[in-house]
Amino acid sequence: MTSEEVIDKARQYLTERDAEFLHRAFTFARDAHYEQFRKSGEPYIVHPIQVAGILVELGMDSVTIAGGFLHDVVEDTQVTLDDLEEAFDNEVAMLVDGVTKLGKIKYKSKEAIQAENHRKMFVAMARDIRVILIKLADRLHNMRTLKHLPPDKQRRISNETLEIFAPLAHRLGISTIKWELEDTALRYLNPQQYYRIVQLMRQKRNQRETYIEEVIDEVKNQLNDVDIGADISGRPKHLYSIYRKMVKQNKQFNEIYDLLAVRIIVNSIKDCYAVLGIIHTCWKPMPGRFKDYIAMPKPNLYQSLHTTVIGPKGDPLEVQIRTKEMHEIAEYGIAAHWAYKEGKQSANDNKSFEEKLTWFREILDWQSETHDAEEFMETLKVDLFSDMVYVFTPKGDVIELPSGSVPLDFAYRIHTEVGNKTIGSKVNGKMEPLDYKLKNGDIVEVMTSKHSYGPSQDWLSITQTSQAKSKIKQFFKRQRREENISKGKEAVEREIRSFGIEPKEVLTQDNLKRIFERFNFTNEDDMYAAVGYQGITAALIATRLTEKVRQKKQKTQNLEDTLEEVKNDTTPKKAQKRDSGVKVEGVDNLLVRLSKCCNPVPGDPITGYITKGRGVSVHRTDCPNVQTEEARQRYLHVEWEDSCTDKKQYHVDLEITGYDRRGLLNEVLQAVNETKTNITHVNGRSDRNKMAVIQITILIHNTGHLKRIVGRIKQIRDVYSVTRTIH
Ligand code: MN
């Protein structure tokens, strides 16, 4: 393509203003690369023109295409970023800067993990997805012209293409670029296999093509009958995918199904499923081979129906069915989304571009929620806007760290001993403090000394990775055990004192054992050492150690508080406090109340508990109101005074049930009267079943007295039950 052809093609979907802008970018690049030549002998500008051409074919916006024209000027000519910003705008300069930076990442073939880290670094460094698209276009053209380079460079670049760029293209769903990159790389990396496969494909080509044509005719006839318009073609074969199947799955060439494949492109999703039905009635589908990527798109948004049927000659035949739009996306991926989102208006509009980026991020988010998320993450474990940072070792290996990491995190990632012996760090050849925040692409060098005393405490707060932190803690644990034990012990004792408790009061063998076992230590020294190196806090240990003593103290404290209150209480109610007939655990002068809920009387087993501001409340031991945990904690031993019997009177509520007949209530009241007992309250009612319920409140002296009354009432004819009520 010439520059004119590129710009004409762009004009088809961009504005005239955009076309002028592109022309300006082209002339700027042409002038900058003046008198530069490529290895092929062509003027250098040919390369940027082709790169821009690839971007136009992807339907990219004008800024990206301009970036294609200008992508090499900063790297290869005198032009600076400032010049670019002045001549064009910030956006163009930003894209070119991104491409230039990516160009500086040197990939050395190593293990797969390094390849993955490189891909991640690429994505992380190219904050704008368009930088990657330009870079892919750049790489594609370089692969197309690779024959002009010496063999060792061919191999290195092909290898890098296969490990870094093809997977990136796949991630972005741009399969046209992905396939071409892979096939070209294979040609240089494994020419024997490459040409063998080409040969094999050629041999049976005629036979295969005739067969496919038959299939296509058959499908066409069927579709004509039901009036579905479709574009049917044999599916292009990709050498690299055949190669992979032969090598990875150890298959013979003629065992590979997708050699026989057709693709059917229709107008609507409805038609996709209709065509599928027709295919499945013509030929028998192979079980387990149907895949509905329309309902369940692939992570890179690929959509299509796939099925394999037993074709007319008894061979497996692959069929793909999709709409036109799905096909565009299958071929051009993220770039196709661009075009569809944009419609045919100017793509050089910041706002709509921002919308697109947002939309792209949403896709990424959405993808992480699909069931295919795992596969997605495996393909490339990083989001565009990742929270990881990628840095180099001086040897060029890429190390992945959480963003915010510092040279110490890097050092511990290399090796624990490197971390422990670190005394300083150089970043990009310059001394930097140990808490320097690493940036993508930094080359990090750690300086160590065997005379180092090891990590210092503040490293725990400087480091970002849990790996570094745990290694530092481990160091303290091991190297400074004695020191940590005494430091830990001191800290724990200090915490115990802060509770107002003498350490020796709680540091008993039993108590210590109970606590270190609870925290899974094997002995007390281990526990103190852990406190010393901050594996666990002294406050936590001290809190547990003093638990029981504090509870006891709290109870005494409550009692003391209450006593204090009583002493200061000069209100008249003080006079009644002795009337209860209850004494409290060796304490006189305490305000005692008999609870109204269960009305205890002398002879009942009783329980006291301290109420804030209201002295001691006395309940019957079986009263549900003192069965709570809170009441138990405030429990206080109380007992009846021996002398109280007969003198004092206590309220008791009784409930009597019986057959509702005339005179029953009178007989009950009479029975009570006969025992010379005062009644203070009476209430009676009956229900529909002729059941009478009588509630009376009486004044009695003790349980013996109460028993006599209850016995007397029970003798009355038609009484069913007599019970003491608890409210
Ligand atoms: Mn280039």
Side-chain angles (χ1 to χ4, degrees), residues 38 44 47-48 51 71-72 76 99 135 138-139 142:
R38 298 200 97 210
Y44 195 92
H47 167 66
V51 171
H71 79 273
D72 275 333
D76 293 341
V99 178
K135 194 68 202 165
D138 176 39
R139 176 52 57 115
N142 283 337

Side-chain angles (χ1 to χ4, degrees), residues 8 101 161 170 178 187 284 293 438 449 461 512 524:
D8 276 347
K101 277 189 181 141
T161 299
H170 175 68
K178 178 201 171 202
R187 188 159 91 214
K284 195 169 173 286
Y293 294 120
L438 295 173
S449 160
S461 54
L512 278 167
E524 58 177 282

Side-chain angles (χ1 to χ4, degrees), residues 474-488:
Q474 244 176 46
F475 175 88
F476 289 132
K477 190 175 172 182
R478 205 178 59 238
Q479 299 286 322
R480 302 194 174 170
R481 188 174 155 81
E482 292 310 313
E483 201 179 308
N484 278 323
I485 291 173
S486 61
K487 219 156 75 182

Side-chain angles (χ1 to χ4, degrees), residues 517-536:
E517 279 176 354
R518 180 163 171 177
F519 287 105
N520 296 320
F521 293 108
T522 42
N523 54 49
E524 58 177 282
D525 278 356
D526 280 0
M527 179 176 79
Y528 286 136
V531 174
Y533 64 78
Q534 296 180 8
I536 188 166

